[in-house]
Amino acid sequence: QVQLVESGGELVQPGGSLRLSCAASGRTFSSYAMGWFRQAPGKERDFVAQITWSEGNTYYGDSVKGRFTISRDKAKNTVYLQMNSLKPEDTAVYYCAARPAISATYTYWGQGTQVTVSS
């Protein structure tokens, strides 16, 4: 079955950088889009970024544009989220997700990884 396993979350100081990874397995993702979402305590889950697996087209949420970069390594079946200039408001559990590129609904979700931005 499809598995998405996130890693890389940790405590980082404001202004610092972090790279999250999402290892995908269980199917071919060539016709899929991969996304990152985040959820802070007491808040709704928000969209962060997405990338189409085949073309590499990217799209970002307004709050992370210019600071975060999503990418994928086809050979490793892994999606990355490079996060720079981190702010305390970036603190959240970050989730990796996958959906068929022709669908608006994310079908598969990882278990999440905690990112804490604090001095």
Side-chain angles (χ1 to χ4, degrees):
Q1 73 272 19
V2 173
Q3 278 195 314
L4 303 175
V5 181
E6 303 97 332
S7 61
E10 62 181 61
L11 172 65
V12 62
Q13 291 190 343
S17 297
L18 207 56
R19 189 178 79 161
L20 305 182
S21 300
C22 171
S25 62
R27 67 160 296 127
T28 301
F29 291 94
S30 57
S31 61
Y32 271 61
M34 309 296 291
W36 285 97
F37 291 75
R38 66 186 183 186
Q39 187 167 20
K43 295 188 177 181
E44 294 185 352
R45 187 162 54 193
D46 287 334
F47 169 78
V48 174
Q50 75 175 32
I51 186 168
T52 57
W53 193 266
S54 290
E55 298 85 4
N57 296 326
T58 59
Y59 183 74
Y60 297 91
D62 289 340
S63 62
V64 306
K65 280 181 183 176
R67 299 189 299 125
F68 291 11
T69 302
I70 189 171
S71 62
R72 85 277 189 248
D73 186 326
K74 291 182 177 181
K76 295 182 178 180
N77 245 28
T78 299
V79 178
Y80 302 100
L81 184 68
Q82 177 67 44
M83 305 185 294
N84 299 328
S85 302
L86 283 162
K87 306 174 182 180
E89 50 264 43
D90 294 317
T91 295
V93 177
Y94 283 71
Y95 297 92
C96 176
R99 62 172 174 85
I102 61 172
S103 172
T105 303
Y106 279 87
T107 308
Y108 303 107
W109 293 85
Q111 83 290 347
T113 185
Q114 176 70 48
V115 172
T116 302
V117 184
S118 175
S119 55

